[in-house]
Amino acid sequence: VEPLRLADLEDADPDLRSVREHRSVTEYYFTCTPALVRHVLQRDPGADSITYLDADLFFFSDPEPLFEELGPGSIGIIAHRFPPRLRELERHGVFNVGWVTFRRDDRGDACLRSWREQCLEWCHDRLEPDRYAEQKYLDAWPTRFDGVVVLNHPGANLAPWNIDTHRVTFDGSAVCVDERPLIFYHAHGLRHGVGADWEPGLDAYGVPLSDVLATHVYEPYLR
């Protein structure tokens, strides 16, 4: 783990610093996403690819199947996979920024540069027809850029908003999603309650806390 100061990122990307006063704290976090990815990739010329991860992800198994699925592709993204009853939430973005991979090639660079420029121009915590934060820009990637692969492994980015679209079980040694290993869970909405209690944030999506989720997903995450 190599910590990176925000000041170092801003020194390397003055255009990013210039928009800070026009964004809320949350909006600036969103704005930083593509700038951070681009900066880290530039700092490490030996890296073949880079993957951005949200901070509230918890890995249960090796993510190598996702890189195998990406194959020769240059950009890897994952859909929210909303169930039909929550499909209206796609207005905030068909794809989730929790995992985004860019390969160091012309196609990956073109997409990353465009994303950074779009976020510098507009990146706010409000919904507009074709944009929301840094996330809704991803909607256009599969048709706008070559080399985009939508990663479909059911165990990638299991989250409160898509649990209803999958069968989540425990086989005695590992959590499985549609009979494939859970790779990582997105603990979106988790909040500390009273004392030792935690609120998993499932109620917002009308999802009950099953025994499998409580014992084999949330408890390991909280530990």
Side-chain angles (χ1 to χ4, degrees):
V1 176
E2 182 180 341
L4 174 66
R5 296 188 312 154
L6 176 59
D8 294 334
L9 174 60
E10 291 178 329
D11 287 345
D13 194 339
D15 290 339
L16 174 65
R17 178 190 285 119
S18 70
V19 304
R20 185 174 183 175
E21 64 179 300
H22 306 295
R23 311 280 159 92
S24 69
V25 172
T26 299
E27 290 171 342
Y28 192 59
Y29 290 160
F30 294 152
T31 305
C32 284
T33 304
L36 172 63
V37 173
R38 179 172 175 266
H39 175 62
V40 173
L41 196 58
Q42 289 176 334
R43 281 182 17 144
D44 187 356
D48 173 67
S49 65
I50 185 169
T51 299
Y52 166 84
L53 304 173
D54 269 359
D56 53 353
L57 307 184
F58 188 76
F59 281 75
F60 289 81
S61 62
D62 194 332
E64 184 59 28
L66 300 183
F67 296 106
E68 293 175 356
E69 190 176 349
L70 178 63
S74 299
I75 303 110
I77 53 178
I78 300 177
H80 278 101
R81 305 194 301 266
F82 293 118
R85 65 183 181 82
L86 297 177
R87 193 61 51 79
E88 65 175 17
L89 295 179
E90 284 188 350
R91 66 185 185 275
H92 293 102
V94 173
F95 303 99
N96 181 248
V97 181
W99 169 298
V100 186
T101 295
F102 295 94
R103 195 177 302 283
R104 185 193 294 278
D105 59 21
D106 290 343
R107 300 185 303 187
D109 181 63
C111 181
L112 181 54
R113 283 190 293 105
S114 172
W115 191 26
R116 171 184 168 274
E117 291 165 3
Q118 286 177 312
C119 288
L120 290 177
E121 179 181 350
W122 191 97
C123 190
H124 296 282
D125 192 16
R126 64 175 183 267
L127 181 64
E128 295 197 357
D130 296 316
R131 53 194 187 184
Y132 169 71
E134 90 277 47
Q135 181 167 269
K136 197 168 174 61
Y137 292 125
L138 277 62
D139 286 7
W141 288 7
T143 55
R144 186 180 174 197
F145 298 103
D146 293 330
V148 176
V149 177
V150 179
L151 305 174
N152 289 313
H153 193 296
N157 213 30
L158 184 70
W161 57 76
N162 62 32
I163 289 174
D164 274 2
T165 67
H166 302 289
R167 182 170 177 262
V168 183
T169 58
F170 182 71
D171 66 4
S173 61
V175 178
C176 296
V177 185
D178 299 340
E179 300 184 351
R180 299 180 70 183
L182 171 60
I183 295 179
F184 68 91
Y185 185 76
H186 198 149
H188 174 82
L190 180 69
R191 294 289 185 273
H192 188 204
V194 178
D197 291 338
W198 290 80
E199 298 294 336
L202 298 172
D203 288 349
Y205 301 96
V207 176
L209 180 62
S210 68
D211 290 341
V212 171
L213 283 174
T215 304
H216 301 293
V217 176
Y218 280 100
E219 286 186 11
Y221 180 79
L222 291 174
R223 284 199 300 269

